[in-house]
């Protein structure tokens, strides 16, 4: 994996990176870290093998020691980053990431890049349900658009049934880089106040992540009494469940929902009853 290909990630991405090759795990992560450093970002690489991580960066021509000394790079262990009182406390980890984001912004970095090998969680007996909830909560920080988060999960340790709730808690899942045509779709979800922007593909592969982010927006707009807005004009694909989620949200928010979308998505919404729903309106970003 080249540093150039790893640079395909963007701020606002929260990706489940499924791996089954221990030899490539280090190389892929090192390339991701090198790309973040090269873009002027602050980088966190959560790893149980810091010496191997530094060696991997050296092979890519990155002066890892200089980056560590300058504070641009940190290599925390899972025990330092995830574990509190002997267990994974999702809320505490999310607060820690939010603090790292704030510090990176204040220090003038272009963004925060974070990657973690989650194999430790299986060995520590953390259940798939706990991990899925953690990944869902992480979206609250990522939608701010100043951080890229990649979580490496080993398919040899987790069966398909265990891995399923974890992958769909991420907006994107990939099995190799660059992604192949058979890889799960990648959705980027960004939030600015009462506006949620969707970029990419919205389907079964990221349904939990989208539902979670829309529910957060819906709750906040209900409390504040302002309309919620979903800018879906950059969606390449949206399935019927996505359209139905938007329609149901319009009916439950006192201020209603404004949707910016393609003509195809508007037609789908109208077929589901949107044309007769007074709480749903369409913006002018049509294509």
């Amino acid at each position: 994996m080249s540093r150039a290909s790893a640079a395909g990630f963007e701020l606002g991405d929260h990706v489940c990176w499924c791996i089954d090759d221990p030899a490539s795990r280090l190389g892929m992560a090192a390339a991701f870290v090198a790309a973040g450093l090269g873009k002027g970002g602050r980088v966190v690489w959560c790893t149980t093998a810091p010496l191997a991580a530094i060696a991997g960066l050296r092979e890519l021509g990155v002066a890892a020691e200089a980056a560590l000394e300058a504070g641009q790079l940190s290599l925390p262990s899972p025990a330092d980053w995830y574990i509190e009182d002997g267990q994974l406390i999702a809320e505490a980890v999310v607060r820690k990431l939010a603090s790292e984001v704030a510090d990176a912004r204040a220090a003038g970095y272009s963004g925060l890049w974070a990657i973690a090998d989650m194999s430790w969680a299986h060995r520590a007996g953390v259940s798939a349900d706990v991990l899925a909830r953690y990944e869902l909560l992480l979206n609250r920080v990522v939608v701010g658009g100043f951080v890229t988060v990649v979580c490496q999960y080993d398919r040899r340790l987790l069966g398909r049934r265990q891995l399923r709730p974890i992958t769909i808690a991420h907006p994107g899942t990939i099995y190799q880089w660059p992604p192949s045509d058979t890889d799960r779709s990648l959705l980027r979800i960004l939030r600015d106040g009462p506006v949620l922007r969707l970029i990419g593909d919205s389907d079964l592969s990221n349904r939990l992540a989208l539902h979670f982010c829309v529910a957060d927006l819906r709750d906040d707009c209900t409390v504040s009494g302002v309309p919620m807005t979903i800018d879906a004009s950059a969606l390449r694909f949206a399935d019927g469940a996505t359209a139905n989620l938007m329609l149901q949200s319009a009916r439950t928010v006192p201020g209603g929902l404004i949707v910016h979308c393609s003509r195809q998505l508007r037609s789908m919404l109208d077929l589901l009853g949107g044309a007769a729903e007074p709480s749903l309106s369409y913006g002018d970003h049509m294509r």
Side-chain angles (χ1 to χ4, degrees), residues 229-262:
T229 299
I230 296 180
D231 181 357
S233 57
L235 276 183
R236 293 184 300 261
F237 173 80
D239 62 6
T242 300
N244 190 59
L245 174 63
M246 293 179 183
L247 187 57
Q248 294 304 316
S249 297
R251 291 168 175 162
T252 56
V253 177
L257 170 66
I258 303 168
V259 178
H260 302 273
C261 62
S262 67

Side-chain angles (χ1 to χ4, degrees), residues 141-156:
V141 180
V142 182
V143 295
F146 197 76
V147 58
T148 302
V149 177
V150 171
C151 311
Q152 290 181 312
Y153 282 92
D154 194 327
R155 286 181 286 179
R156 299 169 305 161

Side-chain angles (χ1 to χ4, degrees), residues 88-160:
L88 170 62
I89 308 296
E91 292 83 357
V93 182
V94 172
R95 287 194 297 270
K96 187 177 297 185
L97 180 65
S99 177
E100 290 280 347
V101 167
D103 290 347
R105 193 187 295 272
Y109 289 106
S110 62
L112 180 70
W113 291 53
I115 187 168
D117 176 3
M118 300 299 292
S119 300
W120 68 268
H122 175 80
R123 300 187 182 98
V126 181
S127 72
D129 288 342
V130 169
L131 289 169
R133 180 174 178 273
Y134 156 70
E135 298 293 359
L136 280 177
L137 290 174
L138 212 58
N139 289 309
R140 286 179 175 157
V141 180
V142 182
V143 295
F146 197 76
V147 58
T148 302
V149 177
V150 171
C151 311
Q152 290 181 312
Y153 282 92
D154 194 327
R155 286 181 286 179
R156 299 169 305 161
L157 300 178
L158 291 166
R160 181 177 297 181

Side-chain angles (χ1 to χ4, degrees), residues 17-197:
W17 196 339
C18 296
I19 56 175
D20 54 16
D21 179 3
S24 64
R25 178 194 291 117
L26 174 65
M28 294 186 326
F32 172 87
V33 169
L37 293 173
K39 288 188 174 185
R42 168 89 166 84
V43 180
V44 177
W45 183 357
C46 189
T47 175
T48 57
L51 295 179
I54 291 172
L57 287 171
R58 281 204 206 100
E59 290 180 7
L60 291 172
V62 177
E65 293 89 346
L68 285 165
E69 185 176 350
Q72 188 180 6
L73 171 66
S74 62
L75 301 172
S77 70
D80 294 334
W81 185 261
Y82 289 100
I83 304 301
E84 184 175 292
D85 297 329
Q87 57 184 324
L88 170 62
I89 308 296
E91 292 83 357
V93 182
V94 172
R95 287 194 297 270
K96 187 177 297 185
L97 180 65
S99 177
E100 290 280 347
V101 167
D103 290 347
R105 193 187 295 272
Y109 289 106
S110 62
L112 180 70
W113 291 53
I115 187 168
D117 176 3
M118 300 299 292
S119 300
W120 68 268
H122 175 80
R123 300 187 182 98
V126 181
S127 72
D129 288 342
V130 169
L131 289 169
R133 180 174 178 273
Y134 156 70
E135 298 293 359
L136 280 177
L137 290 174
L138 212 58
N139 289 309
R140 286 179 175 157
V141 180
V142 182
V143 295
F146 197 76
V147 58
T148 302
V149 177
V150 171
C151 311
Q152 290 181 312
Y153 282 92
D154 194 327
R155 286 181 286 179
R156 299 169 305 161
L157 300 178
L158 291 166
R160 181 177 297 181
R161 189 172 182 178
Q162 290 178 299
L163 195 56
R164 179 66 174 165
I166 295 171
T167 59
I168 62 178
H170 292 78
T173 299
I174 58 175
Y175 295 95
Q176 61 183 20
W177 191 264
S180 70
D181 291 339
T182 58
D183 270 338
R184 302 295 178 112
S185 56
L186 179 62
L187 177 67
R188 186 172 300 118
I189 306 174
L190 301 173
R191 180 170 170 183
D192 184 7
V195 179
L196 202 67
R197 187 176 181 220

